[in-house]
Amino acid sequence: QVQLVESGGGLVQPGGSLRLSCVVSGSSFSFNAMDWYRQAPGKEREFVARITTVGSTNYANSVKGRFTISRDNTKNTVYLQMNNLKPEDTAVYYCKYTNLEIWGRGTQVTVAS
């Protein structure tokens, strides 16, 4: 069974940085595209970033130039490097397979002074 475990969230000041990690088990990680989503209180879950099996990436307009998605297939891990964080980035961040509706538990990111 596929499992995804997110980590790396926390409380940071505006302008700060965090790196989120998602460790995947129970499937062939290297053969699947991976996504990051986020959900803020009172809002629907929204797409943040995607990385394909060959390393191509897509980003939501709101995070372009600030966030970078990457993957390490030897560690079955997908990362989200978040720089110049803004209060509106505050949300629970989730990873998932692009083509499977299986979600991790999420990791909380709070950006506030």
Side-chain angles (χ1 to χ4, degrees), residues 22 24 43 54-55 68 70 73 81 83 87 97 99-100 103 106 110:
C22 175
V24 179
K43 296 185 177 180
V54 295
T68 303
S70 62
N73 289 342
Q81 178 67 47
N83 298 325
Y97 285 88
N99 297 311
L100 290 174
W103 302 85
T110 303

Side-chain angles (χ1 to χ4, degrees), residues 18-63:
L18 285 173
R19 189 180 78 158
L20 307 183
S21 299
C22 175
V23 179
V24 179
S25 62
S27 188
S28 298
F29 173 81
S30 63
F31 297 118
N32 288 276
M34 298 295 298
D35 295 350
W36 283 98
Y37 282 72
R38 67 186 182 186
Q39 187 169 26
K43 296 185 177 180
E44 295 185 351
R45 195 169 295 180
E46 66 174 344
F47 171 81
V48 175
R50 174 171 295 157
I51 185 165
T52 72
T53 57
V54 295
S56 298
T57 58
N58 295 313
Y59 298 94
N61 288 334
S62 58
V63 306

